[in-house]
Amino acid sequence: MKTKPKIKQSFDKGARNYESNCDIQRLICHQLVNFFLESKEKIILSEGIKGLDVGAGNGILSIELLKFIKFEKLHLIDFSDKMLELAKKKIKQSFVTYEVTDFEDLNEIEKFNFIFSNMSFHWSKNFNVLLKKLLEKISNNTLLFFSIPNSIYFEKKEPFSNLDNLMNKFPDIKNLLNELDKTKYFLESKNITFKENFDNLLSFFYKLRSIGANVNTENRKKSLIRFRKQKTNISVFYDINFVLIKKL
């Protein structure tokens, strides 16, 4: 199976347990909103805010932003209909709409002036291409902000080899931002590292699987069999980049 259908299938399955197991995604979302609110004084939001939640999942970021932002229109997209159903159950305002679609195929970007995403962009086939497309197509004064992992790594209580090789590689967001034309775009970014503890390594991967986030995007064999007897506590660190861009 190709990677994108595999990711969709995994998140469709993960929707059943996502709400009770997305602790770290929820924490990152709250910090992303805090980052936005801290930066809001440096930017001017347009009147008539038309929001687009890209890779909305269960709608957690939209739910948080609705507490602070008065939207004229809010559109949530995700390629997992099962995940989007979770959002529909919680967000029922008349100005909110939903669409099951892959954000790689996103069109009419210029219709929105407030585009955001929490922990979704790294599932893109090519994040560099996606970001370039967004930046080129958004209208002036449009705000784009998102969270994206730089890395996920492990602190071991005893030595294990090649643990970090078990994780997918993430986009090199720092280099992309360094190349951004500051005469055309306002940029604010921030890194925060989050920590989560597990009884053992397999419990971490079981949790990823429970929310649908365990897909191997690199088509490399990653066997966990050798860790079945490993009972040592392990800490997982999520190095997350928060990014806010406004087209001038």
Side-chain angles (χ1 to χ4, degrees), residues 232-245:
T232 307
N233 293 345
I234 192 167
S235 296
V236 180
F237 294 87
Y238 307 84
D239 181 38
I240 308 298
N241 204 315
F242 298 143
V243 178
L244 185 148
I245 300 173

Side-chain angles (χ1 to χ4, degrees), residues 15-223:
R16 291 174 292 188
N17 302 298
Y18 193 88
E19 296 285 355
S20 56
N21 288 292
C22 65
D23 314 68
I24 196 70
Q25 288 79 6
R26 187 177 291 113
L27 180 59
I28 292 169
C29 176
H30 290 159
Q31 289 298 321
L32 176 60
V33 172
N34 288 340
F35 164 71
F36 166 72
L37 294 175
E38 289 168 1
S39 304
K40 202 169 72 166
E41 291 182 0
K42 302 175 184 177
I43 55 176
I44 300 173
L45 282 176
S46 303
E47 293 185 5
I49 298 173
K50 299 177 180 64
L52 176 64
D53 191 343
V54 182
N58 67 336
I60 184 171
L61 181 51
S62 285
I63 290 169
E64 289 302 309
L65 289 174
L66 280 164
K67 298 175 183 177
F68 306 99
I69 304 294
K70 186 175 181 180
F71 289 95
E72 179 180 302
K73 174 183 173 59
L74 176 57
H75 191 55
L76 283 69
I77 68 168
D78 199 284
F79 68 173
S80 168
D81 55 313
K82 300 293 190 301
M83 289 293 291
L84 214 51
E85 283 298 324
L86 299 176
K88 288 180 181 179
K89 291 177 181 177
K90 294 179 287 185
I91 310 173
K92 298 181 179 180
Q93 286 94 324
S94 59
F95 57 85
V96 181
T97 54
Y98 302 88
E99 182 181 0
V100 179
T101 188
D102 187 341
F103 55 59
E104 311 279 5
D105 304 322
L106 187 59
N107 293 310
E108 298 184 319
I109 297 169
E110 63 280 355
K111 289 170 51 178
F112 303 94
N113 55 16
F114 191 54
I115 301 172
F116 47 89
S117 180
N118 182 51
M119 296 294 286
S120 294
F121 280 154
H122 59 289
W123 294 111
S124 171
K125 290 183 293 187
N126 189 323
F127 175 71
N128 296 34
V129 172
L130 176 64
L131 182 61
K132 183 179 179 181
K133 175 182 176 181
L134 286 170
L135 292 177
E136 285 180 349
K137 292 198 171 186
I138 58 177
S139 304
N140 290 348
N141 297 317
T142 295
L143 208 62
L144 168 66
F145 82 102
F146 57 91
S147 61
I148 189 168
N150 292 312
S151 64
I152 298 176
Y153 57 95
F154 304 91
E155 178 185 75
K156 287 77 71 173
K157 302 299 182 184
E158 59 183 73
F160 297 99
S161 62
N162 299 321
L163 283 190
D164 295 331
N165 290 336
L166 295 172
M167 302 306 301
N168 293 326
K169 301 299 182 186
F170 298 109
D172 187 356
I173 183 66
K174 292 180 180 178
N175 276 341
L176 284 173
L177 296 180
N178 285 336
E179 295 172 0
L180 192 69
D181 186 345
K182 306 304 190 298
T183 66
K184 295 181 179 179
Y185 302 95
F186 168 84
L187 170 66
E188 190 89 8
S189 65
K190 182 178 183 178
N191 267 79
I192 299 181
T193 300
F194 301 82
K195 179 181 178 181
E196 196 172 22
N197 297 317
F198 294 89
D199 293 336
N200 52 63
L201 181 66
L202 287 183
S203 64
F204 163 68
F205 283 100
Y206 287 148
K207 186 170 184 180
L208 283 186
R209 186 174 68 180
S210 73
I211 62 172
N214 64 318
V215 178
N216 174 3
T217 61
E218 299 170 55
N219 297 315
R220 289 191 286 112
K221 291 184 178 180
K222 299 179 181 181
S223 174

